[in-house]
């Protein structure tokens, strides 16, 4: 059976056999089956709600997705650090695991070696999420675009349509909120075929030999540069022609995902202190000489045939990308499976338009989840899906569920997007709400005491103790919420 036919059949079946009503008669409609929508549908269904999940692909495509699978990772295959004791995103992973997250379960099942990070085989991961949702008895799936506000009879809706929300829906939301959706361009990093990388030049090593979960301490391929090579490379970036920006030119970038040529513009050394930093890595072929800069490649698929250029998001024109990246030692003959590119990012001014229960002030039938709420990242998007899925299921049972406390990673994100962020508008008239990754700066402060018997407590030790204290408090508070 072709994919298209299978979708039509599923859609027809869903329409002919509407899902059974739960006791309290409310169906939870989830719009968008990305990272957030998949998690939201799963959480709501697991909590006993009847769920209809509406996904527009493959009926209508986006600029970035390449499959019709759910929870497709459109760029990097990394969920970032998995260290739950000292890193806020690692803590978010752990909290989500404890809440029975579908996204984390499948990420753990399909993880790839990546040092201290949780990286996944993107296809295996997406297929597993899709299969789990399709098999869930409480979930029906409809492949259709919701091209405007959801019908009035849908009383319990989660909109999780992401940074590439289809224009008719984005427009309708914009009209309803009275807020113009902000839009800027995220840049995606290129992917290289493994057998085109010169193994006599690059070497395998994770920074500081950190093995991390499922890693070996040698999970990255490193391309070394001397000072002259680095300077030539930066010069080439500075001169490179860019994709046309048209009317989006003035839109600010999110600092966590800056294109490399924008970093180069900010200063000659910026890349050496960013994605090209040479620390924690030693070239075994020339151990006495420290490389001046290093480009890292990370495995991108389970077969190990594709490797992505870590932190190398770019908006340079395609032909120029190939030319410039082949100047990197070890990549002289690189074949690119995908070049870097630019994509739209749509998100609400959430602190203004959302309530603490993630509902839209202007139309409380609608909750929002994922990147469209102004969180940034795969994990953060799924995290908001997790919370809203549980909230919607509780509402279907006639119960009010609020988010976990702001002392947890989950709660800190909800708190930030629904009011924790302080809008610069109040001072300057300019709107300042920008997509936000989870970080300990979003948590209420913790006090840590110097351990007994320690005379001099070094800054790094204190910082690590503080992170651990954040993590311990968060997991205690989450236990109470669960
Ligand atoms: C180009 C790009 C690169 C990114 N790279 C990274 C990265 O490397 N790492 C990272 O952590 N984050 C990255 N992000 C940010 C973000 O984490 C991802 O976009 C993430 O997928 C967001 O999850 P989501 O569930 O909110 O949206 P998505 O995963 O995009 O899911 C939204 C879903 O809604 C569907 N949809 C849209 N409109 C409609 C409609 N009207 N009706 C029905 N369905 C609809 C879409 O088809 C899609 O399946 C990137 C974003 C973009 C745009």
């Amino acid at each position: 059976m072709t994919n298209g036919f299978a979708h039509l059949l599923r859609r027809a079946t869903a329409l002919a056999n509407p899902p059974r009503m739960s006791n309290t008669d409310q169906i939870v409609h989830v719009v968008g089956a990305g990272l957030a929508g998949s998690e939201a549908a799963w959480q709501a269904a697991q909590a006993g709600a009847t769920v209809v999940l509406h996904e527009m692909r493959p009926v209508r495509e986006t600029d970035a997705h390449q499959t019709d699978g759910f929870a497709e990772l459109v760029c990097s295959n990394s969920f970032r650090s998995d260290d739950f004791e000292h890193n806020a995103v690692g803590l978010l992973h752990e909290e989500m695991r404890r809440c029975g997250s579908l996204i984390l379960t499948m990420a753990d099942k399909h993880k790839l070696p990546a040092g201290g990070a949780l990286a996944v085989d993107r296809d295996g991961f997406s297929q597993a999420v899709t299969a789990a949702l399709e098999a869930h008895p409480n979930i029906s799936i409809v492949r259709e675009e919701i091209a405007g506000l959801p019908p009035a009879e849908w009383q319990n809706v989660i909109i999780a349509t992401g940074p590439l929300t289809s224009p008719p829906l984005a427009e309708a939301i914009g009209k309803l909120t009275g807020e113009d959706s902000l839009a800027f361009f995220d840049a995606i990093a290129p992917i290289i075929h493994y057998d085109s990388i010169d193994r006599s030049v690059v070497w395998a090593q994770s920074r500081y030999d950190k093995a991390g979960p499922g890693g070996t301490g040698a999970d990255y391929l490193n391309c070394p540069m001397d000072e002259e090579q680095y300077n030539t490379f930066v010069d080439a970036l500075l001169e490179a022609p860019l994709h046309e920006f048209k009317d989006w030119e003035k839109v600010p970038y999110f600092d966590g995902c800056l294109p490399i040529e924008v970093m180069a513009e900010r200063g000659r050394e910026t890349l050496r202190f960013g994605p090209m930093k040479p620390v924690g890595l030693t070239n075994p072929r020339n151990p006495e000489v420290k490389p001046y800069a290093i480009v890292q490649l990370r495995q991108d698929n389970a077969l190990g045939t594709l490797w992505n250029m870590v932190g190398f998001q770019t908006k340079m024109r395609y032909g120029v990308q190939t030319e410039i990246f082949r100047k990197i030692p070890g990549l002289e003959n690189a074949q690119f499976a995908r070049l870097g590119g630019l994509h739209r990012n749509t998100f609400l001014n959430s602190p203004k338009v959302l309530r603490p229960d993630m509902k839209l002030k202007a139309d409380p039938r609608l909750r929002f989840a994922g990147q469209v709420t102004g969180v940034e990242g795969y994990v953060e998007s799924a995290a908001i899906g997790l919370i809203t899925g549980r909230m919607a299921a509780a509402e279907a049972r006639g119960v009010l569920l609020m988010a976990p406390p702001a002392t947890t990673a989950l709660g800190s994100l909800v708190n930030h997007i629904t009011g924790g962020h302080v809008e610069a508008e109040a001072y300057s008239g300019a709107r300042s709400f920008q997509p936000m990754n989870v970080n300990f700066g979003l948590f209420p402060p913790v006090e840590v005491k110097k351990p007994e018997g320690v005379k001099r407590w070094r800054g790094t030790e204190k910082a690590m103790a503080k992170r651990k204290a954040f993590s311990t408090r968060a997991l205690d508070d989450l236990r109470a919420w669960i």
Side-chain angles (χ1 to χ4, degrees):
M1 192 187 301
T2 64
N3 259 352
F5 182 66
H7 295 308
L8 284 178
L9 187 64
R10 265 199 297 277
R11 178 168 182 200
T13 314
L15 293 176
N17 307 306
R20 212 166 25 85
M21 295 289 200
S22 66
N23 288 343
T24 52
D25 82 0
Q26 249 193 4
I27 294 175
V28 176
H29 290 270
V30 180
V31 185
L35 275 299
S38 297
E39 185 67 56
W42 179 258
Q43 292 288 333
Q46 287 290 90
T50 301
V51 177
V52 183
L53 179 56
H54 308 260
E55 168 55 54
M56 70 176 184
R57 287 174 295 122
V59 179
R60 183 166 181 149
E61 303 294 344
T62 77
D63 287 341
H65 293 83
Q66 299 190 349
T67 73
D68 59 8
F70 296 165
E72 179 182 331
L73 306 180
V74 289
C75 179
S76 157
N77 64 331
S78 173
F79 285 8
R80 319 203 305 279
S81 172
D82 204 29
D83 174 357
F84 77 88
E85 288 187 310
H86 304 107
N87 186 291
V89 79
L91 174 61
L92 188 57
H93 293 171
E94 183 58 24
E95 291 184 7
M96 292 173 71
R97 286 185 180 109
R98 293 186 185 196
C99 293
S101 160
L102 175 66
I103 294 299
L104 261 293
T105 302
M106 294 314 177
D108 287 337
K109 270 197 186 152
H110 292 273
K111 76 179 167 204
L112 296 172
L118 174 60
V120 305
D121 168 20
R122 64 178 76 234
D123 292 330
F125 165 75
S126 166
Q127 283 157 13
V129 171
T130 310
L133 292 168
E134 284 177 344
H136 201 294
N138 290 5
I139 301 177
S140 306
I141 292 164
V142 187
R143 297 279 186 163
E144 65 179 355
E145 179 190 7
I146 304 303
L149 289 181
E153 59 273 22
W154 297 7
Q155 285 299 310
N156 192 343
V157 184
I158 297 173
I159 297 188
T161 44
L164 308 169
T165 296
S166 73
L169 178 57
E171 210 171 287
I173 295 166
K175 269 194 197 140
L176 179 65
T177 57
E179 291 282 321
D180 292 336
S181 292
L182 294 178
F184 72 91
F185 279 78
D186 261 344
I188 61 176
I191 294 182
I192 298 174
H193 290 283
Y194 177 78
D195 54 12
S196 68
I197 300 167
D198 186 347
R199 297 299 309 272
S200 69
V201 174
V202 306
W203 76 95
Q205 186 187 10
S206 304
R207 214 177 282 286
Y208 299 112
D209 302 310
K210 216 170 165 181
T216 62
D219 303 325
Y220 292 77
L221 294 179
N222 300 285
C223 312
M225 278 188 184
D226 62 25
E227 187 170 356
E228 193 185 335
Q229 286 166 329
Y230 175 78
N231 280 321
T232 310
F233 181 72
V234 171
D235 287 339
L237 291 180
L238 292 173
E239 285 161 17
L242 307 177
H243 279 292
E244 289 286 311
F245 255 66
K246 302 190 187 112
D247 44 329
W248 307 297
E249 188 80 62
K250 291 174 228 83
V251 176
Y253 289 108
F254 171 49
D255 265 358
C257 202
L258 278 182
I260 49 167
E261 60 279 4
V262 175
M263 280 191 246
E265 267 168 24
R266 292 191 172 182
R268 185 158 283 275
E269 295 293 286
T270 308
L271 283 165
R272 254 176 32 87
F273 286 89
M276 294 178 74
K277 65 175 174 267
V279 300
L281 298 163
T282 305
N283 186 348
R285 294 189 191 90
N286 201 358
E288 301 306 320
V289 177
K290 204 96 205 117
Y292 192 72
I294 286 177
V295 176
Q296 287 203 300
L297 310 177
R298 184 177 51 225
Q299 188 176 334
D300 201 75
N301 63 345
L303 293 173
T305 51
L306 297 176
W307 289 67
N308 64 53
M309 301 180 72
V310 180
F312 262 54
Q313 305 86 356
T314 178
K315 59 175 179 163
M316 291 184 293
R317 289 212 184 130
Y318 284 167
V320 183
Q321 286 187 40
T322 315
E323 193 184 310
I324 293 182
F325 294 148
R326 288 191 182 141
K327 290 189 200 300
I328 296 169
L331 303 186
E332 292 84 353
N333 298 310
Q335 293 299 321
F336 293 88
R338 184 177 77 191
L339 286 162
L342 290 171
H343 294 281
R344 183 158 173 248
N345 189 355
T346 309
F347 62 98
L348 289 169
N349 188 7
S350 297
K352 211 164 179 177
V353 302
L354 291 187
R355 308 191 323 200
D357 57 2
M358 302 303 295
K359 288 184 163 196
L360 194 66
K361 288 176 189 167
D363 185 352
R365 293 180 305 135
L366 312 179
R367 278 193 173 81
F368 281 79
Q371 181 103 354
V372 74
T373 64
V375 291
E376 168 70 28
Y378 301 143
V379 187
E380 287 85 344
S381 296
I384 300 297
L386 186 152
I387 298 294
T388 50
R390 287 183 169 223
M391 285 175 167
E395 183 179 327
R397 291 196 306 274
V399 175
L400 176 68
L401 175 70
M402 295 308 285
T407 49
T408 63
L410 286 161
S412 75
L413 279 172
V414 175
N415 181 53
H416 179 74
I417 59 180
T418 60
H421 170 79
V422 178
E423 191 59 52
E425 199 172 41
Y427 308 104
S428 64
R431 273 170 54 167
S432 62
F433 182 64
Q434 282 292 316
M436 180 58 87
N437 282 126
V438 68
N439 63 80
F440 286 127
L442 300 180
F443 291 53
V446 279
E447 284 304 318
V448 282
K449 285 205 184 102
K450 192 164 72 171
E452 275 186 29
V454 172
K455 281 206 179 117
R456 245 187 91 241
W457 207 16
R458 286 190 312 186
T460 47
E461 287 165 354
K462 187 175 178 191
M464 291 305 256
K466 214 168 179 181
R467 291 175 185 187
K468 199 158 180 189
F470 275 126
S471 165
T472 307
R473 181 182 67 180
L475 294 176
D476 283 347
D477 290 356
L478 184 75
R479 197 172 305 122
W481 181 79
I482 290 173

